[in-house]
Structures are given as C-alpha cells and as structure tokens.
Amino acid sequence: MFTVLITGASSGLGLAFLKHYASQPSTRVIALDTSPMSADTATAFPDMQFHQADVTSPALLMLCQTLEVQSISIDLLIHSAGIRGLVSEVVQEKRGDVNAAETYETMNRETMMRTLEINTWGTFNVVKTFLPRLKSASSPSEPAKVVIMSSRMGSMSSNVGGAGYAYRASKAGLNAVVKSFSIDVPEVAFLLLHPGRVETGLVEWKEEGAMSLEESLRDCLKVINGLEKADSGGFVDRFGETIGW
C-alpha cells in the first residue's frame, strides 16, 4: 500500500492532489487541513483519512504516533498548506488589488509574523513531526519523498518586482528549512516545487494570469513522479526547471 500525506487538502492545489491520489489503486491518502473536508469529497473518497489539524500545532505528533502504532509509513508527503501574507484590512478596503495589500507601507507585524509562523514554522513542524514515518518507508533504492509547495517569490535572485514582504520572506525561509532537511536527512528525497500562479484560493479573487488547478496539477505530477534521491534539495518550477536561490 502506497501512502500519501497531503496538507492543505481541503481546497486549492492540496485538494487537487487529494482527488488524484485517492483515485489511484492501492493508495492510502491521509489528509490534513484546518478547514473541514466538504461532504462531497468525503463521500466520493470514503477510504481517505481526514484530520482537521493546524500545521503549526504540536498536536500533529499524536497523529504520527497513531500511524506508528498502526505500522503505517509515509511514502510521499505533499505540503500544500500556506497563506498569502496580505494585510487583511487592505484586502477589504481595496478588494482585487493584491499589490496594495503587501507593500512596505501597508505591511504590519501581525501579518508578517502570522505568515512566517504558518508558511515557515508550519513547514518545519510538519516535516520534523512525520520524519520517523518517512524514514521507515525509505530504502536505498526507493526513498520516501517530501514535496513542498514553494514559490518563485521565495527566490531572491528572481525578485525584480519588490513588495510581497511577508510572503517572500516566509517562502525564502521555507526554502532554507527544506534545504537543510535535504542535507541532514539524506535517506529521504526533498523537493521545493513552484506550481506556478495557480487559482488556489489563497486570495479571495481570481488573480490575473492565474492558471487552472488541473493545468498545474498535471505538470507537478510529472515532476513528483520523476523525483529521485539525486534531486533532493532542489528548487524547481512545475516543468522541473531549476529556480535560482
């Protein structure tokens, strides 16, 4: 039985991954999200295990311990949970204007710290918590995989537009965290994956130029399926092309 754990699984790209893997034969899906799973999804995939959980919480350890008792290892972890880091007051005042909600003039400590907690600390917490279950699934010829949904906005060399303070900082921090894991835990293959500008629900309106979930999912799956141990620690786009740090 191939086991996939997906965070941020109730919506957006996480839900798209869930629907894909839950439709595959001999595949167990364990889904995490702070929001409840829709009744339609739960009905469509009755064998899926759903846990309403916060990625920043130490309570995740209880789930990992339960998996250990059940002798369930994790072959693939897809971490999709995250937030966009927009100042909520500006979002309400200037609906539809993403740029206005993340400039240095509007950014505040509350937004910055919350974004870092969820996107950066949340990533560290998820990976560290489930490492024992990932290690138990790994073998020299077939390592367990950890795929983190990162963003080109976390690349300092690609930053030519400025702004995006909370989101850029949180994703750059996330990249650093996962890169260190790839060095410290060589038996697991880690990948930072930029899925493109996707219509995921991270903001309350459709962003200009955003692609469909289906388009991004198709490309991301090719990269995930081709991930090997030698690729661990890489930062790539949905086509598998390397993104500069």
Side-chain angles (χ1 to χ4, degrees), residues 26 116 120:
S26 302
L116 288 167
T120 309

Side-chain angles (χ1 to χ4, degrees), residues 103-120:
T103 66
Y104 73 84
E105 293 95 344
T106 58
M107 185 53 58
N108 56 44
R109 184 181 188 278
E110 179 183 7
T111 302
M112 178 76 80
M113 298 309 294
R114 174 171 165 74
T115 308
L116 288 167
E117 180 182 20
I118 293 174
N119 291 356
T120 309

Side-chain angles (χ1 to χ4, degrees), residues 185-207:
V185 190
E187 60 266 46
V188 175
F190 294 86
L191 187 70
L192 292 152
L193 179 57
H194 168 59
R197 179 176 288 185
V198 190
E199 185 56 30
T200 62
L202 276 181
V203 297
E204 298 175 11
W205 55 84
K206 181 176 174 60
E207 293 188 78

